[in-house]
DNA sequence: TATTTATTTGAATGTTTCTTCAATTAATAG
DNA sequence: CTATTAATTGAAGAAACATTCAAATAAATA
């Protein structure tokens, strides 16, 4: 990456005026360390969590379950989201695979509840926006 | 939705054995209240945040910016993510649109920094997983 | 002023994703 | 045991997405 380090070299030179002296190698390794703090299993699971919640059907299901006081039956979730039963089932299955909900069998009913991961992400979004 | 309320009716009947008496109308309105606590502007912005972060390129950029001590130049971000410059630029533009990063112009360099929203979501994911 | 440089933009394209329909499974009721 | 019911599964098609290449913009330098 000759061209890339050259560009960073020029950038750091420019920055000298307003900042301290740095060495390109040092900077590159700093950046590499920053990047590698994200362990790859964590990246994978975070991406699953985020992309799974980033769909309206799944987001609404997760939010209702997180706000609900305990578990809800699929039949109740049907009343909450306006897509086919099949779509809800697919959505719940995706949420489960991402570790965002747990399922409990109860005869022919199935009850779902939000996991702490789902609650944590939703709470974080609520809190950071609470002043709006 | 005659069929839907019938199903909920049967579900609540089943639940009587292990729970208290409830009325279908009441339950449906409880569910509706649960669902409507999610104000629609908030849903939209949460979905933008989550789906934007749910892509590896954008997630890695956001995480590095959140972990970095202040802003980083695009030229530095190039060293951190392994896609074309164009892809990085598109990714940063998406992150900006979702309110996850801010941009500062500095001559021909562009510096980006994570917003509190980005930090909050990433922190939440880190915290909920800290025991793994 | 002409050239180089850093970044962005837009079009193109292959891939992924979301939803639905139809069929299936598993539990219960008749 | 047959039928009904609750939920799931898989296939299919349309829509949305992510990345790249090529071209454009804007700042700085020669």
């Amino acid at each position: 990456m000759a061209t890339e380090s050259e560009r960073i070299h020029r950038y750091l030179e420019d920055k000298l005026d307003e900042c301290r002296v740095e060495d390109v190698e040092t900077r590159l390794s700093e950046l590499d360390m920053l990047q590698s703090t994200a362990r790859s299993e964590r990246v994978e699971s975070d991406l699953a969590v985020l992309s799974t919640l980033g769909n309206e059907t799944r987001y609404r299901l997760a939010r209702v379950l997180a706000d609900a006081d305990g578990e809800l039956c699929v039949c109740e979730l049907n009343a909450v989201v306006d897509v086919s039963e099949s779509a809800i089932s697919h959505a719940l299955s995706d949420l489960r695979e991402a570790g965002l909900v747990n399922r409990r069998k109860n005869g022919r009913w199935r009850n779902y509840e939000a996991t702490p991961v789902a609650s944590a992400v939703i709470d974080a979004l609520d809190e950071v926006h609470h002043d709006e």
Side-chain angles (χ1 to χ4, degrees), chain A:
Chain A
M1 311 277 137
T3 254
E4 190 169 283
S5 355
E6 284 164 29
R7 190 182 296 193
I8 292 192
H9 183 64
R10 281 190 291 269
Y11 175 63
L12 294 175
E13 269 178 356
D14 273 17
K15 244 182 111 181
L16 292 189
D17 300 330
E18 56 182 54
C19 193
R20 68 201 155 80
V21 180
E22 292 186 67
D23 163 55
V24 180
E25 292 299 323
T26 306
R27 188 61 185 145
L28 281 170
S29 93
E30 280 171 13
L31 290 166
D32 195 56
M33 283 180 62
L34 260 186
Q35 186 247 358
S36 63
T37 55
R39 281 171 50 218
S40 68
E41 334 128 30
R42 281 296 314 287
V43 172
E44 221 171 309
S45 108
D46 282 0
L47 283 173
V49 165
L50 293 164
S51 63
T52 300
L53 284 178
N55 162 266
E56 183 165 355
T57 299
R58 293 186 300 253
Y59 171 88
R60 285 191 185 278
L61 290 170
R63 179 171 271 285
V64 166
L65 289 169
D67 289 347
D69 184 23
E71 63 187 17
L72 292 177
C73 170
V74 174
C75 64
E76 293 175 300
L77 293 170
N78 271 311
V80 156
V81 181
D82 193 28
V83 290
S84 69
E85 289 180 25
S86 176
I88 291 180
S89 189
H90 281 296
L92 289 167
S93 160
D94 294 343
L95 285 164
R96 201 151 79 103
E97 202 173 347
L100 291 162
V101 304
N102 289 320
R103 180 173 75 172
R104 185 174 71 86
K105 299 191 181 190
N106 171 218
R108 54 187 163 182
W109 310 99
R110 295 290 181 275
N111 294 288
Y112 286 86
E113 67 179 356
T115 64
V117 180
S119 303
V121 174
I122 288 171
D123 285 355
L125 288 166
D126 284 349
E127 274 162 35
V128 82
H129 279 124
H130 75 273
D131 50 328
E132 275 163 33

